[in-house]
């Protein structure tokens, strides 16, 4: 039986990947962090599936990872766990590096030391391109602009090193931003769509944002987790960019989200310096030709589709909670 081990199972991507792999008949094991309140809302609906198993652990705990890899004996490992917020990484650089960089090394080393021949997926990111101008593909020079980007770049290179040094089937998906109704509430798309829902419901009148000029290549998370799996099914391990090939500014996303709710964004959006970063990534726009050619993967949902579907979802969620 195919047996997957997923770090970051409680996150946006982890939850969609778990649904996808369970549908494919996999046994899925997930790493969950101990917290004083349960933090599993994105996978609660999967509880009770007898092929889903959760294990306490943390990417900062190497011994725990060694024990888990040995006991689970996974055929595929997806390393999605991370301190994934760019702005927070400026405030918690040490923890970000320990989780994202050394955490990846700990997991790879646990796999290598076990002697098992499982495949490994690393969640690399377009943030590694940083200030290198678009379009960006697998051959583009990296120039990260945050402790987060730098931590992910180290993890990216250590994944390549374990492939070259030990012959591990280890791949990195260099994923551009991908969003969904399950996106964390402090990433800009979800912050905007939740803000629109609250303004439409009359709960507030303003939405505070930082830099509106940055452009991003925003895709739809459920489509991107399929690409992760496809990378592990390829004949040879390799690294791939996943992206839509469309760039939109934060301002344009705002405009689309507010206008879908019949609102004018300029009447509500207020600037707050607090949300600016010490160094910004101005423009990300990916070229996913390699994934299309080698894996047959292609993004279908555009950023403007996303703005609409996320506003609808947040409005429905808010309406339900107000009724309660
Ligand atoms: P997310 O929603 O922020 O989820 C992050 C996951 O990592 C959560 O399950 C979190 O657990 C877990 N985690 C955090 N610190 C950990 C630690 N020390 N040990 C173990 N687990 C830990 O992120 P996402 O959007 O799903 O992204 C998934 C991965 O892809 C991340 O590595 C991210 O950096 C990368 N990525 C994301 C994008 C994107 O646009 N979404 C693009 C490129 C790359 P808790 O639930 O307990 O906090
Ligand atoms: O939504 P964001 O926080 O995402 P960011 O920084 O692009 O990072 C996300 O995508 C990466 C892939 O490229 C992932 F690796 C990473 O884990 C994460 O998922 O910010 C997007 C843009 C930035 O330019 C930011 O400065 O939106 C701008 N922004 C403007 N106002 C804001 C805000 N970002 C946030 N989070 N909050 C604001 O109020």
């Amino acid at each position: 039986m195919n047996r997957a081990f997923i770090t970051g199972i409680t996150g946006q991507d982890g939850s969609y990947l778990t649904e996808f792999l369970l549908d494919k008949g996999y046994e899925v094991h997930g790493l969950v962090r101990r917290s004083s309140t349960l933090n599993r809302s994105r996978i609660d609906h999967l509880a009770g599936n007898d092929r889903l198993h959760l294990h306490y652990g943390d990417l900062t705990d190497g011994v725990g990872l060694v024990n888990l890899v040995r006991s689970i004996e996974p055929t595929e490992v997806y390393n999605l766990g991370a301190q994934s917020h760019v702005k927070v990484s400026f405030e918690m650089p040490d923890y970000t590096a320990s989780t994202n960089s050394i955490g990846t090394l700990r997991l790879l080393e646990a796999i290598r030391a076990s002697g098992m021949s499982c495949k490994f997926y690393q969640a690399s990111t377009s943030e590694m391109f940083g200030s290198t101008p678009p379009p960006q593909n697998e051959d583009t020079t990296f120039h990260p602009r945050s402790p987060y980007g730098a931590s992910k770049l180290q993890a990216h290179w250590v994944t390549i090193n374990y492939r070259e040094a030990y012959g591990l089937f280890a791949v990195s998906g260099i994923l551009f931003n991908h969003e969904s109704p399950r996106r964390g509430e402090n990433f800009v798309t979800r912050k905007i769509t939740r803000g629109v829902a609250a303004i439409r419901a009359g709960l507030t009148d303003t939405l505070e944002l930082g830099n509106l000029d940055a452009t991003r290549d925003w895709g739809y998370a459920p489509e991107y987790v399929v690409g992760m799996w496809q990378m592990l099914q390829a004949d040879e391990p390799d690294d791939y960019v996943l992206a839509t090939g469309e760039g939109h500014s934060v301002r344009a996303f705002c405009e689309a989200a507010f206008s879908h709710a019949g609102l004018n964004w300029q009447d509500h959006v207020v600037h707050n310096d607090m949300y600016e970063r010490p160094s910004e990534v101005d423009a990300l726009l990916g070229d996913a030709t390699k994934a299309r050619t080698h894996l047959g993967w292609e993004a279908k949902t555009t950023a403007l589709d996303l703005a609409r579907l996320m506003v609808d979802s947040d409005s429905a969620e808010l309406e339900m909670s107000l009724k309660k």
Side-chain angles (χ1 to χ4, degrees), residues 110-125:
I111 294 168
R112 188 198 65 77
S114 75
M116 290 167 205
S117 66
C118 75
K119 297 179 178 178
F120 178 83
Y121 173 86
Q122 170 58 18
S124 285
T125 163

Side-chain angles (χ1 to χ4, degrees), residues 245-258:
E246 273 188 26
H248 298 271
S249 65
V250 174
R251 184 179 290 103
F253 191 93
C254 266
E255 209 169 336
F258 277 87

Side-chain angles (χ1 to χ4, degrees), residues 174-193:
I174 307 173
L175 271 50
F176 282 64
N177 301 49
H178 45 280
E179 320 292 310
S180 74
R182 294 185 199 167
R183 183 55 144 154
E185 290 153 10
N186 59 355
F187 294 94
V188 79
T189 54
R190 187 82 199 285
K191 186 172 166 185
I192 293 168
T193 59

Side-chain angles (χ1 to χ4, degrees), residues 179-247:
E179 320 292 310
S180 74
R182 294 185 199 167
R183 183 55 144 154
E185 290 153 10
N186 59 355
F187 294 94
V188 79
T189 54
R190 187 82 199 285
K191 186 172 166 185
I192 293 168
T193 59
R194 276 169 55 88
V196 167
I199 291 167
R200 178 151 74 176
L203 298 181
T204 179
D205 197 41
T206 54
L207 173 64
E208 292 189 356
L209 293 174
N211 178 16
L212 302 182
D213 295 326
T215 64
R216 291 290 182 273
D217 179 329
W218 283 294
Y220 188 35
E223 295 170 9
Y224 285 54
V225 301
V226 178
M228 295 176 187
W229 175 78
Q230 286 178 306
M231 288 179 214
L232 291 194
Q233 314 315 309
D235 292 336
E236 296 297 329
D238 207 347
D239 305 326
Y240 297 91
V241 159
L242 299 186
T244 68
E246 273 188 26

Side-chain angles (χ1 to χ4, degrees), residues 5 24 51 53 74 95 105 223 269 271 309 324:
F5 176 34
K24 285 219 162 290
R51 280 183 288 110
H53 308 274
Y95 175 72
L105 180 68
E223 295 170 9
V269 172
H271 182 265
L309 80 83
K324 272 189 201 155

Side-chain angles (χ1 to χ4, degrees), residues 9-10 15 32-35 37-46 54-56:
I9 194 168
T10 54
S15 66
V32 293
R33 297 196 291 171
R34 194 269 157 184
S35 57
T37 53
L38 283 187
N39 181 19
R40 299 175 191 176
S41 58
R42 293 187 180 103
I43 52 169
D44 268 348
H45 60 292
L46 302 172
L54 301 179
H55 309 267
Y56 281 114

